[in-house]
Amino acid sequence: MTGRNGPALSAVITLAVVFGLLLNTAMNESKANQAHATKTLEQRVSALLGEMTLAEKIGQMNQVNASDHEINDHLREAIGAGRVGSILNQVDVDAVNELQRIAVQESRLGIPLLVGRDVIHGFKTVMPIPLGQAATWNADIVREGARVAAREAATAGINWTFAPMIDISRDARWGRIAESLGEDPYLASALAAAMVEGFQGEDLADRGTIAACAKHFAGYGAAESGRDYATTNIPENELRNVYLRPFRAAVDAGVVTLMAAFSDLNGVPATGNEFLMRQVLRDEWGFDGFVVSDWDSVRQLAIHGLTENDKESVYQAVMAGVDMEMAGESYLDQLEDLIGEGRIDVAMIDAMVANILRVKFQLGLFEHPYTNPAELPAIANEHALQTARQAALESVVLLKNDRGVLPLSAEKLNSVAIIGPLADAPYEQLGTWIFDGDTELSITPMHAIHSLVGHELDVRYLRAMENSRSRASVSFDEAVEIARESDAVILFLGEESILSGEAHSRADISLPGDQAELVRRIRETGKPVVAVILAGRPLTLTNIVNHVDAILFAWHPGTMGGPAIADLLFGVESPSGKLPATFPRMVGQIPIYYNQKNTGKPPSPDTVVHIDDIDAHAPQLSFGMTAFHLDAGYTPLYAFGHGLSYADFEYRNIEVSASEIGLGDTLIVSAELMNKGDVAAEEVVQLYVRDLVGNVTRPVKELKGFKRVRLEPGRTITVDFQLHTDDLAFFGRNMQRMTEAGQFHVWIGGSSETELRTEFRVVDKD
Ligand code: NOJ
């Protein structure tokens, strides 16, 4: 709206609009408050529903793309006529206020709009990508990041974000793993709940809180071969034990909306999947918010081959429980006929519209439909930037650190070379899904290193490659020269942001372009080489891992990635991130994840033979006969939960409070953690369990708890976890969730590879 006017004129218009709207808001507020005081939420919902025509009900189920800079007449008219319940992708606050004004003042019933946007990991201030946030294993910082994002987004009139994305993914080829919280249902559940709490706050009606949307329901992360939108086949048992768990956690945390996935689940695309949305979500979990489709995914039911045409697609989606259609308008076109023909009962539509209205009331939209940005905290304020910096700091994972080459010492070195395409790339460090991210706010590692140590060290910088995919190695000689003249080299490698995210899957997840060649050339200088890798997914690093001394894996770390990385490189802080997803040695190992099943022929070091060591004269079956690859073994390059520190942590003395507990009892599991190093640092202590025998086979290890603790050098603490027998429950053969009596192993340690183990027994006292 204001974009084409000069700034001064725009400010005057903004003031006038806001003043006018506020006056209206005050009147609306007092009217709404009076109504509110006497009626419960459900009474308000049904009273409003009782006044609505069928067309107005269908209008509430329609979400429209409003991304055009100028508000077009078609949109004005549709909102005024009550044919739009929600818009998405409009972020000009004046435009949003104007659209709300039309909805509130010009439509017959004055129902305000839900204003949706993909605020995935920040609005203007960008936090690390969600996968990076998961590497913090810190629900508090994740919650705060979402809170900051909500407040900033709310200044634009946004009242609904399409986040958190909580699809479990065991396949790093999938571009959307960047948006996910990783491979583990326990970790993803804890962080999903934290994100929901951060976006939605204590009370959705508070200013600066926005509705969250748990997506994509469900199974999308299991796309075949990691190709986005591809088919998923997940047995119900696995679906419930793994993929649905974070959604359950989000619902329990009060999330008010869910988004149906694009993908085909076991032959029934999620958008038409009654089992998911009616049986599980409504009947079993008691969800009373609403479900939105993904972008045009209702009409895509016909493309999937589930239906013949739009009308049948609408029928399937409504019957399955998709309350609102995103960007397809087929509900608008088809629903009335389907109801007229008696195929869809109007009572079903009433219930679906009630789900939508309920959220609008909960958001307090009827009381305050308009936005005055001045009432909210300033964008990118000190707190927002500090939150982004802390999240980035805790998200970086130290994968390896040979001979303690890190941290670099500004006192001992005279010079350092910064080389690589991602050292000074303000846009790339923000990662995928940053529609509104402000690149101007980005502090790059190159700038941050200069400010941190530039006065003590000679810092030289060469980009060396245009981007991460470049094949032209013309600058490599110059890079080698700079490296030779420096005491240490920091290589900034990885993937540009466009290589991950929606529809950006890769079949080869090694460093793209000529980066491995750059590493090899720099290695030849004999200088200490540190690789800082910025990427949207786990990468296969096998071809470079032995050519660098240390690797800091920084994901796409967001606005404040630079200062966080600089602090870690030079030892102002110690790394404390832990991997939320397994790093394979090579793509052929995928899917590879820590909580796999044992198989009947589990591999072990003595059964594994490498392809180069096969004795051609020995009988063909004289080795192995276990579940491994001849050319990759069975272990990953870096396991789930892995992450080193500058401190030297040692775990010992694992204990359980009892060797036997009854069903319904709580066990305390503890271990000592000692910092044998000479720096204070944070460590993520992890608790794993194995249920040795089950009526369906159980994973070899399952995360059941984690705690982030800080430990001074020379100190030892005891870390304990409470484990209730309900925490051991799983969906068995009959699809009932239960804990079975029997023997359990339990581990505590700093990664899923921990061997510090004890055991206990659960007995059924009845
Ligand atoms: C499609 C994506 O799958 C979904 O995650 C996103 O929220 C919508 N588009 C809206 O942009």
Side-chain angles (χ1 to χ4, degrees):
M1 247 190 110
T2 57
R4 309 231 170 115
N5 300 312
L9 181 60
S10 159
V12 171
I13 291 175
T14 305
L15 273 178
V17 169
V18 166
F19 182 73
L21 295 178
L22 286 182
L23 213 71
N24 262 314
T25 305
M27 284 157 60
N28 279 335
E29 274 186 19
S30 72
K31 269 196 242 152
N33 283 343
Q34 283 161 16
H36 188 42
T38 48
K39 283 186 185 153
T40 65
L41 173 65
E42 288 314 310
Q43 284 168 337
R44 294 181 85 190
V45 169
S46 60
L48 182 53
L49 204 54
E51 289 183 53
M52 295 170 80
T53 62
L54 181 58
E56 283 165 339
K57 290 173 187 171
I58 295 171
Q60 286 302 306
M61 301 170 83
N62 181 34
Q63 185 186 47
V64 173
N65 179 25
S67 60
D68 286 355
H69 192 72
E70 302 286 336
I71 305 173
N72 63 52
D73 290 343
H74 175 72
L75 184 58
R76 280 177 187 277
E77 198 265 318
I79 294 175
R83 287 201 304 273
V84 180
S86 170
I87 56 164
L88 77 163
N89 293 341
Q90 178 53 266
V91 288
D92 178 324
V93 67
D94 293 344
V96 171
N97 277 333
E98 170 61 5
L99 295 174
Q100 288 287 26
R101 190 198 61 74
I102 298 170
V104 170
Q105 290 181 17
E106 294 182 13
S107 77
R108 195 179 71 90
L109 292 171
I111 303 174
L113 298 164
L114 283 163
V115 182
R117 182 69 161 173
D118 289 284
V119 183
I120 307 296
H121 54 114
F123 188 62
K124 299 285 177 198
T125 308
V126 179
M127 309 293 147
I129 54 169
L131 190 61
Q133 291 186 50
T136 68
W137 295 53
N138 183 348
D140 292 336
I141 196 75
V142 168
R143 187 182 302 106
E144 201 50 41
R147 190 171 292 153
V148 166
R151 286 191 194 132
E152 290 194 353
T155 62
I158 293 162
N159 51 37
W160 180 21
T161 176
F162 305 123
M165 193 279 223
I166 51 180
D167 296 313
I168 295 295
S169 178
R170 294 163 164 176
D171 193 334
R173 293 171 296 187
W174 191 45
R176 301 197 81 167
I177 195 172
E179 285 174 67
S180 83
L181 297 170
E183 76 183 29
D184 181 67
Y186 183 90
L187 180 63
S189 298
L191 302 184
M195 277 195 181
V196 169
E197 289 158 9
F199 287 126
Q200 298 194 168
E202 296 271 298
D203 184 346
L204 258 185
D206 291 344
R207 298 281 159 100
T209 60
I210 61 179
C213 179
K215 71 186 190 186
H216 305 83
F217 200 56
Y220 186 26
E224 278 178 352
S225 81
R227 252 179 313 123
D228 206 3
Y229 316 126
T231 304
T232 71
N233 279 300
I234 311 172
E236 182 178 338
N237 191 274
E238 184 78 349
L239 190 68
R240 289 180 179 275
N241 283 325
V242 179
Y243 294 88
L244 294 184
R245 273 172 56 194
F247 289 94
R248 179 68 206 252
V251 168
D252 288 348
V255 75
V256 289
T257 76
L258 266 78
M259 186 185 293
F262 278 131
S263 41
D264 178 337
L265 175 67
N266 302 334
V268 183
T271 302
N273 200 308
E274 197 173 332
F275 162 75
L276 282 177
M277 290 176 289
R278 295 233 180 251
Q279 182 179 325
V280 175
L281 183 62
R282 300 279 175 195
D283 299 348
E284 295 180 22
W285 299 354
F287 178 67
D288 71 353
F290 72 89
V291 178
V292 64
S293 77
D294 204 338
W295 188 280
D296 207 12
S297 69
V298 173
R299 293 193 312 167
Q300 286 167 18
L301 291 177
I303 306 176
H304 277 284
L306 188 77
T307 62
E308 260 184 24
N309 52 39
D310 284 358
K311 188 169 178 182
E312 295 310 310
S313 298
V314 171
Y315 177 74
Q316 295 276 349
V318 167
M319 295 307 281
V322 174
D323 304 295
M324 181 183 282
E325 182 188 17
M326 180 189 286
E329 303 217 348
S330 61
Y331 277 16
L332 218 52
D333 296 341
Q334 309 291 345
L335 250 180
E336 217 158 325
D337 281 355
L338 284 162
I339 296 161
E341 289 162 18
R343 292 180 64 198
I344 294 180
D345 196 340
V346 93
M348 180 178 269
I349 299 301
D350 283 354
M352 295 170 94
V353 175
N355 293 337
I356 297 166
L357 295 178
R358 193 173 295 121
V359 174
K360 292 190 173 186
F361 280 115
Q362 286 169 325
L363 275 165
L365 284 181
F366 291 85
E367 289 77 26
H368 45 80
Y370 304 117
T371 300
N372 176 6
E375 288 178 356
L376 288 158
I379 295 277
N381 60 34
E382 193 48 41
H383 174 72
L385 295 175
Q386 188 47 40
T387 304
R389 181 173 181 156
Q390 189 63 26
L393 186 79
E394 294 183 19
S395 74
V396 177
V397 183
L398 180 61
L399 292 179
K400 71 172 263 179
N401 191 16
D402 288 355
R403 294 170 280 108
V405 66
L406 283 177
L408 299 172
S409 161
E411 280 116 56
K412 291 190 192 143
L413 303 173
N414 291 318
S415 57
V416 68
I418 300 175
I419 298 171
L422 292 167
D424 191 26
Y427 175 79
E428 308 305 341
Q429 75 184 47
L430 298 184
T432 185
W433 280 120
I434 46 123
F435 284 154
D436 307 292
D438 185 349
T439 339
E440 298 280 304
L441 294 171
S442 289
I443 304 182
T444 68
M446 199 273 284
H447 281 286
I449 292 170
H450 263 287
S451 356
L452 185 67
V453 295
H455 54 287
E456 290 169 87
L457 287 183
D458 184 7
V459 181
R460 293 164 203 169
Y461 165 62
L462 184 75
R463 191 180 178 100
M465 296 169 72
E466 182 50 33
N467 59 46
S468 70
R469 295 163 291 129
S470 303
R471 294 249 172 237
S473 46
V474 283
S475 305
F476 287 7
D477 287 345
E478 198 185 342
V480 168
E481 189 117 336
I482 291 177
R484 276 196 212 290
E485 289 163 4
S486 305
D487 295 335
V489 184
I490 313 172
L491 288 173
F492 281 88
L493 308 171
E495 292 177 322
E496 306 146 70
S497 65
I498 201 169
L499 295 186
S500 58
E502 185 178 346
H504 293 99
S505 296
R506 297 178 61 204
D508 172 359
I509 54 169
S510 60
L511 289 171
D514 278 344
Q515 294 184 75
E517 172 65 6
L518 177 63
V519 173
R520 202 186 54 73
R521 294 285 308 278
I522 298 295
R523 185 57 170 180
E524 282 168 6
T525 64
K527 301 288 174 164
V529 182
V530 175
V532 179
I533 298 179
L534 282 74
R537 56 162 64 77
L539 297 175
T540 49
L541 300 171
T542 312
N543 61 344
I544 63 132
V545 70
N546 294 326
H547 303 315
V548 296
D549 298 294
I551 303 177
L552 275 176
F553 204 88
W555 317 100
H556 287 131
T559 302
M560 297 298 281
I565 290 169
D567 282 355
L568 293 170
L569 284 169
F570 289 91
V572 180
E573 300 279 354
S574 173
S576 58
K578 300 278 187 177
L579 294 180
T582 303
F583 275 46
R585 293 176 192 278
M586 49 182 100
V587 158
Q589 289 183 297
I590 294 173
I592 181 168
Y593 46 94
Y594 86 97
N595 47 355
Q596 62 187 334
K597 300 290 184 70
N598 204 32
T599 79
K601 289 172 173 280
S604 57
D606 52 317
T607 61
V608 172
V609 173
H610 191 265
I611 196 162
D612 296 335
D613 301 328
I614 296 174
D615 178 355
H617 304 294
Q620 217 193 350
L621 295 181
S622 66
F623 61 80
M625 306 299 287
T626 63
F628 71 93
H629 287 113
L630 281 171
D631 43 10
Y634 63 95
T635 57
L637 186 59
Y638 296 112
F640 174 83
H642 171 75
L644 305 174
S645 166
Y646 297 154
D648 181 6
F649 289 119
E650 186 182 306
Y651 288 85
R652 56 190 189 197
N653 296 335
I654 185 167
E655 281 180 8
V656 282
S657 55
S659 58
E660 195 173 284
I661 54 167
L663 281 171
D665 291 348
T666 298
L667 183 77
I668 310 238
V669 191
S670 64
E672 284 175 5
L673 172 65
M674 182 178 186
N675 181 351
K676 298 196 306 178
D678 45 22
V679 294
E682 293 196 358
E683 164 75 341
V684 177
V685 182
Q686 302 160 37
L687 174 81
Y688 294 91
V689 160
R690 177 171 179 190
D691 183 350
L692 296 190
V693 179
N695 82 54
V696 293
T697 54
R698 310 296 303 127
V700 292
K701 259 182 190 165
E702 282 184 283
L703 184 70
K704 292 290 176 188
F706 60 88
K707 280 185 182 170
R708 187 174 255 276
V709 296
R710 183 177 177 83
L711 206 53
E712 299 296 319
R715 293 285 308 278
T716 301
I717 52 166
T718 300
V719 183
D720 52 32
F721 295 91
Q722 292 199 351
L723 199 57
H724 188 274
T725 55
D726 199 35
D727 300 330
L728 305 168
F730 62 96
F731 288 90
R733 230 181 274 192
N734 57 3
M735 302 304 158
Q736 296 302 311
R737 188 172 179 275
M738 52 166 185
T739 304
E740 287 181 347
Q743 197 70 14
F744 291 79
H745 284 166
V746 58
W747 296 258
I748 288 181
S751 96
S752 63
E753 288 182 319
T754 173
E755 289 178 357
L756 188 65
R757 186 185 94 186
T758 184
E759 53 194 303
F760 62 94
R761 193 164 189 82
V762 173
V763 292
D764 187 351
K765 287 182 179 150
D766 303 331

